[in-house]
Amino acid sequence: MENLKLLPETVLKPSFERDKIKTSILHIGVSNFHRSHQAYYIHELMEKFNELNYGICGVDLLDSDRKIYNILKDQDGLYTLYTKEPNGAHKAKIIGSIVEYFFGPENPLAVIEKMTSPDIEIISLTIAEDGYHLNEITGALDLNQPILDEEIKNPFNPKTVFGYLTQAFKLRKLRNLPGCTILSCDNIKSNGDTIKKALLEYVSKTEPELLNWISKNTTFPNTMVDRITTITDFNDIETLKQDFFIEDQWPVVCEPFAQWIIEDKFLHKKPSWEKVGVQFTQNIEPFEKMKLRLLNASHTILGILGTMSGHKTVYEAAIDDNLMTFLKSFMDEEVHPTLNESNATHVSNYKKMLVSRFQNPHINDRLSRICQESSAKIPIFILPIITDQLQNEQKIKGAAFIIAAWCKYNDGIDDHGNTYKIVDSISNTLIRMAALSHQNPLKFLDIETVFNDLNTNTFFTETYLKHLNHLRTHSISESITAFNKNTI
Ligand code: CS2
């Protein structure tokens, strides 16, 4: 904190008094995304309006988060948000909204105690798709997962968000304290409803007498969160040192654009986040659908087709004309018809803006980041488009091409003969089923946890087969060209 005074004028620093901040948000999962998004919005409220009531206590639950925990502890919760404009302008801002930090694996009881603090009004989450421990087919909490089983046997040594919340709510009830708002900030469909359903399933199995208290003392708003945030690379750390004299062990790099839309459903007084651009709504669905099906689905397409073409970043893929022709026609013909066009959502503007966001040459967003855990992303970003289009007897040829290309992607070799790694919690299954599909082309669609019963829809499977056959005998760029020319 003291070191802030030594930084040059060009660095934006918190001008509010950090020791006056009241911590009323406990956030689980202090990822880069949390730091570029929620923590940034709350910082802006502090900076521009001196509203110091919504300080953040960060909490990490995974052993793998020890590094960020140690660094942020060391840096007093401060870090640099390094924003890069398409025209090359860049801005370094020191974010000061995270004021406390706890690490679950080190001291679970301290985390539970903090969650129980009467000051905490909101418990927010960025725990990624797998943090919800859902059964992919039923969408219900998968109580058979070993981590949940172990936690249920040792309730005072929780590991997952469910174990922690259950213990904290038990104590709140016992101490006659109010409950809190649970604010999911993950890219999953109906994120608030999803965490609510999973938590209630967990509680009915472990502490059924708490169910009534939870239903009266908590709310679970759905949210739409958006800001492209890269994996921090060493060059960014060095540039910050050289250009801004900032010594930050883990800065966060992101685009200038940010959007946060929240269902208006808070248990306590609603924070005045609208002052810094947050939008509250009664109906989140159109926004959420638009973001997941346009931005995230497009990312997945650029990730898969781009990697197979030999590109390394979203930018490289987004200036590949052939690939962009494919992507734009997919957005127009297969995604747009499934969305609710309205004054609020402006789908057409959103699509245009997306293309320019992807084409920001200064955002080094690696396709390897995008392709990680595709088996969890595709069912959220792409398959619902297919379901809607099939239901309305509309086109699915672009979507079938993408799924066929993903099958080939799992062979792990690009158009130039270079190999890449499949990073996915079910990578063994993906690789094995893709290999088997060389003999039996429909085999890949048998991965039930991803595709559910899509393999029973002959309209889809016929189109898929046609594309997979073409992809198997051509390079990805040849197949994309043929697709664009309508010759497959
Ligand atoms: C990306 C997202 O992980 C992904 O597949 O699409 O992380 C994306 O960058 C963010 O949702 C942007 O808001």
Side-chain angles (χ1 to χ4, degrees):
M1 187 69 197
E2 275 304 299
N3 295 341
L4 285 185
K5 296 190 193 106
L6 307 175
L7 291 174
E9 292 280 289
T10 47
V11 178
L12 302 162
K13 304 171 268 289
S15 60
F16 47 89
E17 293 173 87
R18 287 185 84 222
D19 50 358
K20 301 249 160 72
I21 294 175
K22 178 177 161 217
T23 311
S24 51
I25 301 177
L26 182 142
H27 180 80
I28 303 182
V30 189
S31 56
N32 276 6
F33 180 72
H34 167 71
R35 296 196 287 146
S36 76
H37 192 259
Q38 182 178 343
Y40 148 82
Y41 277 105
I42 291 168
H43 169 96
E44 292 294 277
L45 194 70
M46 294 175 171
E47 187 61 34
K48 296 191 174 135
F49 299 93
N50 203 35
E51 282 196 22
L52 305 181
N53 277 339
Y54 288 96
I56 301 173
C57 169
V59 171
D60 274 314
L61 302 183
L62 304 175
D63 270 320
S64 51
D65 291 325
R66 193 177 289 274
K67 183 171 169 205
I68 183 66
Y69 168 72
N70 286 335
I71 290 178
L72 279 191
K73 269 272 183 223
D74 206 39
Q75 297 184 174
D76 245 344
L78 297 167
Y79 62 91
T80 320
L81 189 61
Y82 191 19
T83 318
K84 298 182 180 177
E85 305 270 348
N87 66 8
H90 49 182
K91 205 160 67 187
K93 180 181 275 203
I94 310 292
I95 301 293
S97 52
I98 301 182
V99 281
E100 289 177 70
Y101 207 159
F102 287 76
F103 189 50
E106 199 169 86
N107 193 346
L109 295 181
V111 173
I112 296 171
E113 201 48 51
K114 185 70 197 176
M115 281 179 154
T116 312
S117 154
D119 283 348
I120 299 293
E121 294 180 6
I122 296 172
I123 297 182
S124 53
L125 321 166
T126 355
I127 50 176
E129 294 84 356
D130 50 357
Y132 291 79
H133 302 284
L134 302 178
N135 175 308
E136 315 266 357
I137 301 173
T138 60
L141 181 69
D142 189 354
L143 285 159
N144 292 325
Q145 293 189 9
I147 186 169
L148 291 173
D149 190 48
E150 193 192 315
E151 173 177 83
I152 291 170
K153 290 185 189 129
N154 301 291
F156 298 114
N157 188 13
K159 303 267 181 257
T160 74
V161 77
F162 301 106
Y164 276 100
L165 287 176
T166 306
Q167 292 309 316
F169 287 159
K170 249 175 86 180
L171 282 180
R172 279 183 182 253
K173 180 178 173 217
L174 201 75
R175 294 178 189 169
N176 242 328
L177 292 169
C180 36
T181 301
I182 307 294
L183 193 66
S184 164
C185 299
D186 279 297
N187 281 321
I188 55 175
K189 192 179 164 324
S190 312
N191 52 15
D193 298 341
T194 302
I195 182 72
K196 176 176 182 186
K197 181 163 168 274
L199 178 68
L200 294 181
E201 275 163 353
Y202 186 92
V203 172
S204 39
K205 160 102 184 164
T206 55
E207 299 283 344
E209 61 291 354
L210 199 56
L211 283 172
N212 194 23
W213 185 91
I214 293 184
S215 70
K216 290 198 183 114
N217 293 283
T218 50
T219 61
F220 300 80
N222 292 299
T223 68
M224 185 269 239
V225 292
D226 190 9
R227 186 167 219 180
I228 293 174
T229 308
T230 69
I231 292 177
T232 311
D233 83 35
F234 181 72
N235 293 333
D236 294 313
I237 300 184
E238 282 305 300
T239 319
L240 284 174
K241 255 187 220 159
Q242 268 147 36
D243 293 3
F244 295 96
F245 306 99
I246 299 176
E247 298 263 352
D248 188 335
Q249 301 170 71
W250 201 332
V252 180
V253 182
C254 67
E255 61 171 344
F257 180 90
Q259 193 171 27
W260 193 9
I261 305 186
I262 308 178
E263 200 181 2
D264 192 350
K265 214 159 92 183
F266 284 77
L267 187 74
H268 300 268
K269 185 170 165 273
K270 182 170 73 191
S272 48
W273 293 339
E274 71 285 351
K275 290 183 181 160
V276 287
V278 175
Q279 228 174 303
F280 293 103
T281 177
Q282 301 298 333
N283 181 14
I284 196 88
E285 204 207 344
F287 298 101
E288 175 200 278
K289 247 179 158 179
M290 178 172 77
K291 199 258 168 170
L292 297 175
R293 296 182 183 198
L294 285 172
L295 188 150
N296 297 108
S298 299
H299 256 171
T300 294
I301 295 163
L302 293 173
I304 292 170
L305 305 190
T307 303
M308 295 168 80
S309 312
H311 302 311
K312 297 284 176 258
T313 63
V314 171
Y315 169 71
E316 281 171 26
I319 56 164
D320 173 334
D321 287 340
N322 203 22
L323 189 37
M324 284 313 273
T325 306
F326 174 85
L327 179 62
K328 285 180 190 162
S329 88
F330 176 68
M331 291 204 265
D332 292 344
E333 291 175 29
E334 295 181 35
V335 186
H336 199 146
T338 71
L339 303 174
N340 327 48
E341 175 83 76
S342 73
N343 286 344
T345 48
H346 299 295
V347 178
S348 306
N349 293 349
Y350 190 83
K351 286 190 293 188
K352 277 196 211 113
M353 193 169 59
L354 267 190
V355 174
S356 55
R357 288 172 66 193
F358 294 153
Q359 290 177 341
N360 182 337
H362 304 283
I363 297 291
N364 186 25
D365 200 9
R366 316 287 303 170
L367 296 180
S368 51
R369 174 185 86 84
I370 304 290
C371 291
Q372 270 174 32
E373 301 306 328
S374 290
S375 70
K377 293 175 177 177
I378 285 176
I380 301 171
F381 305 157
I382 314 251
L383 299 184
I385 302 170
I386 302 179
T387 310
D388 282 3
Q389 287 287 87
L390 286 175
Q391 220 160 45
N392 301 328
E393 295 180 11
Q394 294 299 315
K395 279 189 195 162
I396 42 87
K397 66 181 189 143
F401 183 90
I402 296 158
I403 302 297
W406 185 41
C407 172
K408 182 171 171 181
Y409 168 91
N410 288 298
D411 289 343
I413 180 152
D414 72 16
D415 265 5
H416 311 285
N418 300 315
T419 55
Y420 49 83
K421 201 163 176 241
I422 314 298
V423 182
D424 202 295
S425 47
I426 61 159
S427 58
N428 288 344
T429 309
L430 295 173
I431 294 167
R432 187 168 45 86
M433 298 298 262
L436 290 174
S437 77
H438 282 263
Q439 263 75 55
N440 174 358
L442 280 181
K443 196 73 192 160
F444 189 64
L445 297 182
D446 288 348
I447 310 175
E448 206 190 347
T449 52
V450 175
F451 298 113
N452 204 349
D453 59 359
L454 188 59
N455 58 0
T456 60
N457 186 300
T458 44
F459 180 55
F460 181 84
T461 53
E462 275 165 20
T463 320
Y464 168 86
L465 273 182
K466 190 173 66 172
H467 293 319
L468 186 58
N469 287 338
H470 196 277
L471 282 155
R472 287 277 184 227
T473 47
H474 296 80
S475 68
I476 183 76
S477 42
E478 286 165 346
S479 292
I480 299 174
T481 308
F483 184 98
N484 290 342
K485 288 193 177 142
N486 219 355
T487 55
I488 20 174

